[in-house]
Amino acid sequence: MPIGNTQPSVRPALAGRTGGPAVDPAARRRPARRAGSGGGLRAERLAPYILVAPAVLIIVLLRLYPLLLGVNFSFTGDGTRNGTAVGIDNYRELLTDPLFRTALGNVGWLVLLLPVAVAIPGLLATFIYLRVPGHRVYRSVYFFPAVLSPVIVGAIFNLLLAFDGPVNAVLGAVGVPPTDWLGNPDIAMFVVVGVHVWATFGMSLVVFLAGFATLDSALLDAARVDGASLPQVIRHVIIPGLSRTIQFVFVTTMIGMLTSMFGLLYVMTSGGPEGSTYLPEYYIWIQQGQMNRPALASAASTVLFVIMLVVGLLQIQLLRRAGKES
Amino acid sequence: MKQRALWSAALVVGLVTMAGCGSATGSGNSSGGSADKLVVWDWKSGEASAAQYLDKAKADFAKKHPDVTVEFVAQPFDQYYTLLGAAIQAGKGPDVMLFNGGGQIRDRVDALVPLDEYVAEDKQRLAGWDAFTSDGKTYAGPVTLQGHPIYYNKALYAKAGLDPATPATTWSKFLADCTAIARAGAKCFALGNKEGVGIQFWLSALGSGILTAQEYDDWIAGKRDWNSPNVKRVFALWKEAGEAGLNNDGANSTAMFNDSFAIFQSGKAAHIIGLMSDVGHWKDFNEFLTPENLGVMSAPVVTEGTTPSLAYDGGIGYAVAKWTKDPKIAADLVRSLTSTDALKAFYADAGAVAADTTIDVSQGGAAVAGIVSELKGGKPALHVALSSKTIDLMGRLSQQLLSGSITVDEVVKQLAASDQAG
């Protein structure tokens, strides 16, 4: 039983690890070599590969292979050119398609709006932490939208924001002229992002509250004794104390915005008006499902993948730097 | 670091060698089916309103082939063509399947049997064949017709002091009527253009009063002159109607399905360009407005000398798959599914204008009787002739026209470019 053989050899290594980072990695490896002598050596060498094989196979077969297939398809044609290599024609078409450019531009807007999407739950969590009157009620009320599906949220806001809907009626009552919230190409994207933030900030709020739990209250008390105002407390005590939490929320909010707006867009605007609320995901879906252009959709997917890769790597970089600082 | 570079290099090499192989949709060939059993795919048979229709069709088929059993499999409509595409590729498809007319069936004729020799007797009795025809061959028997009549609310006409029995026949008279209707507190058109569908209905419903007969036929035949003043007029009128406040507020954020229909049904607007079958049609409107108050009018004449006609095509129809064992038996099932008795039940229960023009519709109210009487002189709808890409673009441009951020000239220029690109 080769795996049984390896067990004792692993233990000293583990013990070495618990001993602290001072242990030399080479020294850690040595006892393992000694124990696994003869026929056991081969098995021992193979063991790690066998053990990681299930995970690697799943990743390779269900993630990497489809990814490569998709990239591959993006270099083939659609319709009558189905199955023939067309080089970078699809990418050239994407670049010249104003709709795809709008979709990419909207991704830019999402990145710009990210600080707002993070600040709102952060600020509200601060108020709850500082125990504003009724903070217990707010804590549960704020979380409530997070359990609703995007389709339901979209349907609710479709009714609220309709031209003859309640929001315009209330504004009309105080003398504000009605706005076509979802029909005006200049504001529709911001309305949808606003609804998305409303629907998802509950989760970030919980993360912030968890972060507050680790905050040293003595610092807050000290600041108060020194006569710091609320903005000063936030600026000099809370934000530095929560820097890792804030970074985590940044990353998760960005991912949420880029990957889970489809439901809302589908229900609220269908990419309109005038194509102003297209996001790459929605574009891919339209090309694949409505226009019967799977190869072009593959090209758009590849572009989206590269964008996500760059954003993801940047964020990992950021987190790593933050980790070193703390 | 070196190893990582090596891996990246390997990945790049792999990608480059693989790039452009295979295809995104695949290309399978198919065979399947069974001699004593026919499998039918559709998205209708699960509905209670289609039960009678299917019973009648099955009984008719059983008379002809008592030893053949028929199984109906209802698929969800939103995934229907995806499932069908997969079945066609896998070669385990149904023997008979339901199709929407136009592009959906024309894209898949490779997998279908031409039915001309089997359905010759039905050619006169049924209408809407064109939508199921490709390169001169017929691939499906039409069940319903789909088109775009202009419905109007007679009660609102009376309230505005207009004669409900004589709607306007010219555009200028129509505009005058709209002014009267506005004074009575209602909008002229219920319009939902959130999906960009409103312009398709507009083009097809009003086109016959704007384009000359020659232009109309050329358009359908694929010879479209986007620079013709009459084509521009279609889009100019759309823009003018929006600017003159004929439409309900917020048309660009109102869904055609089904918010705009609700506006018409609730009497907030006097006209709507609706459908003939399935939704947004005479049967739905009858329920809310009562059959007495629902009228259908011809397109007002915009260009002098034009003769307005009803725009319609074959709606849905049954086709026979290439891999069925005996196409003759399957074609007989299609004939049973389009028999007069069966279609009569479909018309009465599902509220569709059936393809059979001999069905008596006088019980359904004035609107449906008006539609059926127009079928003889009707023509294919203009927007159906356009590619899905051009239609998508037209939807977005129509929204820009309503918001005033584009000119008519620019619209026809972009549409012409898209149309010519295929």
Side-chain angles (χ1 to χ4, degrees):
Chain A
M1 191 63 190
I3 292 175
N5 269 351
T6 61
Q7 258 181 352
S9 68
V10 170
R11 258 181 220 139
L14 271 178
R17 192 176 297 171
T18 49
V23 177
D24 169 27
R28 216 191 287 164
R29 233 174 279 137
R30 238 169 270 136
R33 287 268 164 81
R34 233 180 293 132
S37 62
L41 187 71
R42 210 179 136 90
E44 195 183 316
R45 261 200 213 139
L46 285 177
Y49 296 107
I50 294 170
L51 290 174
V52 297
V56 169
L57 279 181
I58 287 175
I59 293 173
V60 169
L61 286 181
L62 300 180
R63 294 266 163 150
L64 287 180
Y65 178 62
L67 179 73
L68 291 181
L69 268 189
V71 173
N72 174 37
F73 286 154
S74 71
F75 293 105
T76 67
D78 284 310
T80 51
R81 295 204 294 169
N82 183 24
T84 56
V86 297
I88 56 162
D89 275 14
N90 287 323
Y91 292 93
R92 219 177 279 149
E93 186 175 345
L94 281 182
L95 277 183
T96 53
D97 188 347
L99 212 49
F100 190 69
R101 287 208 299 257
T102 311
L104 288 186
N106 282 338
V107 170
W109 273 117
L110 290 185
V111 174
L112 288 181
L113 288 171
L114 191 58
V116 181
V118 174
I120 290 172
L123 213 59
L124 293 175
T126 309
F127 290 144
I128 289 175
Y129 178 70
L130 297 176
R131 292 167 203 276
V132 293
H135 64 277
R136 277 173 214 282
V137 182
Y138 288 129
R139 196 163 51 186
S140 48
V141 167
Y142 285 158
F143 189 69
F144 177 64
V147 303
L148 294 176
S149 99
V151 174
I152 294 171
V153 172
I156 292 171
F157 277 91
N158 260 350
L159 291 175
L160 288 177
L161 297 171
F163 196 87
D164 52 358
V167 171
N168 275 341
V170 169
L171 288 179
V174 294
V176 179
T179 310
D180 198 358
W181 298 104
L182 297 173
N184 184 336
D186 297 330
I187 56 174
M189 191 66 210
F190 300 101
V191 173
V192 177
V193 171
V195 172
H196 177 77
V197 170
W198 177 86
T200 55
F201 82 90
M203 208 53 98
S204 310
L205 186 98
V206 171
V207 174
F208 270 119
L209 286 177
F212 274 116
T214 66
L215 202 64
D216 190 355
S217 60
L219 285 176
L220 276 179
D221 292 337
R224 278 204 197 110
V225 169
D226 289 344
S229 67
L230 179 66
Q232 280 173 322
V233 169
I234 293 177
R235 167 79 184 79
H236 295 288
V237 181
I238 293 181
I239 291 184
L242 288 182
S243 67
R244 299 202 69 183
T245 310
I246 293 172
Q247 269 151 6
F248 177 76
V249 172
F250 253 99
V251 173
T252 50
T253 309
M254 186 70 223
I255 293 172
M257 274 186 161
L258 280 178
T259 61
S260 51
M261 292 265 293
F262 180 85
L264 270 187
L265 287 178
Y266 184 81
V267 175
M268 290 181 70
T269 63
S270 317
E274 304 170 25
S276 62
T277 56
Y278 262 72
L279 281 180
E281 281 177 295
Y282 193 79
Y283 182 88
I284 292 164
W285 181 79
I286 287 280
Q287 293 300 338
Q288 151 68 24
Q290 310 297 109
M291 302 289 153
N292 207 11
R293 299 284 312 271
L296 185 68
S298 300
S301 306
T302 309
V303 173
L304 179 62
F305 171 73
V306 170
I307 292 174
M308 293 298 286
L309 200 68
V310 169
V311 170
L313 287 177
L314 279 180
Q315 285 176 337
I316 288 174
Q317 207 78 41
L318 229 138
L319 280 181
R320 209 179 265 164
R321 223 174 52 201
K324 270 182 201 148
E325 274 168 15
S326 65
Chain B
M1 204 59 212
K2 200 177 166 192
Q3 210 166 19
R4 200 194 276 179
L6 211 68
W7 274 108
S8 318
L11 192 71
V12 170
V13 170
L15 280 178
V16 169
T17 46
M18 256 176 56
C21 308
S23 78
T25 44
S27 53
N29 237 337
S30 328
S31 67
S34 146
D36 53 359
K37 185 180 174 189
L38 290 176
V39 177
V40 185
W41 274 21
D42 60 26
W43 59 88
K44 287 274 177 196
S45 56
E47 294 167 19
S49 59
Q52 272 237 351
Y53 161 68
L54 291 179
D55 285 347
K56 292 258 166 72
K58 278 184 199 162
D60 187 74
F61 182 71
K63 266 189 272 169
K64 288 185 261 182
H65 300 283
D67 49 338
V68 179
T69 53
V70 180
E71 188 193 347
F72 282 85
V73 182
Q75 307 283 9
F77 180 66
D78 50 355
Q79 292 164 40
Y80 184 76
Y81 289 105
T82 315
L83 293 170
L84 194 62
I88 287 173
Q89 279 183 28
K92 289 207 172 114
D95 301 280
V96 173
M97 49 229 177
L98 190 61
F99 272 105
N100 290 96
Q104 296 292 16
I105 190 165
R106 288 194 187 116
D107 287 350
R108 294 169 179 86
V109 289
D110 286 348
L112 305 176
V113 181
L115 298 180
D116 297 270
E117 52 175 313
Y118 309 111
V119 298
E121 281 176 52
D122 297 334
K123 284 269 166 148
Q124 279 308 310
R125 183 174 57 87
L126 301 176
W129 293 98
D130 284 354
F132 303 105
T133 304
S134 176
D135 289 332
K137 289 184 189 140
T138 307
Y139 288 94
V143 174
T144 65
L145 302 177
Q146 188 60 285
H148 305 285
I150 306 169
Y151 296 98
Y152 68 100
N153 184 338
K154 290 183 178 172
L156 277 180
Y157 263 58
K159 195 178 161 198
L162 303 167
D163 179 10
T166 56
T169 53
T170 64
W171 187 251
S172 51
K173 170 79 169 53
F174 183 76
L175 288 180
D177 287 358
C178 285
T179 314
I181 290 163
R183 271 200 300 271
K187 289 289 180 182
C188 191
F189 278 114
L191 175 65
N193 201 39
K194 181 176 180 171
E195 310 94 332
V197 179
I199 186 73
Q200 300 171 26
F201 286 28
W202 176 273
L203 169 66
S204 287
L206 300 179
S208 62
I210 303 173
L211 304 189
T212 64
Q214 185 64 41
E215 280 177 322
Y216 201 108
D217 296 342
D218 284 350
W219 177 291
I220 299 295
K223 289 175 279 179
R224 292 179 274 278
D225 178 10
W226 290 93
N227 284 317
S228 129
N230 286 339
V231 171
K232 283 187 189 171
R233 193 97 183 92
V234 173
F235 297 97
L237 285 181
W238 165 268
K239 190 177 164 76
E240 284 162 23
E243 282 163 0
L246 301 191
N247 305 322
N248 49 274
D249 294 323
N252 273 351
S253 59
T254 305
M256 164 82 76
F257 306 95
N258 292 311
D259 293 349
S260 70
F261 300 140
I263 291 173
F264 179 69
Q265 283 164 359
S266 58
K268 288 178 191 155
H271 305 87
I272 189 166
I273 301 171
L275 292 159
M276 277 159 58
S277 302
D278 295 328
V279 288
H281 62 329
W282 50 275
K283 195 168 167 128
D284 286 354
F285 299 151
N286 274 350
E287 256 178 62
F288 288 87
L289 299 177
T290 72
E292 297 76 46
N293 281 329
L294 181 70
V296 167
M297 61 187 281
S298 296
V301 173
V302 177
T303 308
E304 265 187 62
T306 56
T307 318
S309 58
L310 178 67
Y312 78 95
D313 295 272
I316 54 174
Y318 283 99
V320 175
K322 209 167 217 171
W323 54 81
T324 187
K325 280 279 183 299
D326 187 347
K328 169 86 178 65
I329 299 180
D332 274 345
L333 179 59
V334 171
R335 292 199 61 202
S336 294
L337 284 162
T338 53
S339 65
T340 303
D341 269 359
L343 290 183
K344 200 185 266 175
F346 200 64
Y347 145 76
D349 296 348
V353 171
D356 192 325
T357 49
T358 61
I359 293 175
D360 174 28
V361 294
S362 52
Q363 298 300 308
V368 65
I371 292 170
V372 171
S373 72
E374 293 276 320
L375 288 178
K376 275 275 179 277
K379 288 185 175 181
L382 292 172
H383 76 267
V384 178
L386 300 174
S387 72
S388 49
K389 195 179 172 192
T390 306
I391 284 194
D392 184 60
L393 175 65
M394 187 167 73
R396 272 177 279 126
L397 293 175
S398 74
Q399 292 171 337
Q400 285 184 275
L401 278 175
L402 285 186
S403 71
S405 58
I406 199 169
T407 63
V408 173
D409 285 335
E410 179 61 24
V411 166
V412 290
K413 197 177 127 201
Q414 288 195 27
L415 287 175
S418 169
D419 193 30
Q420 267 138 32

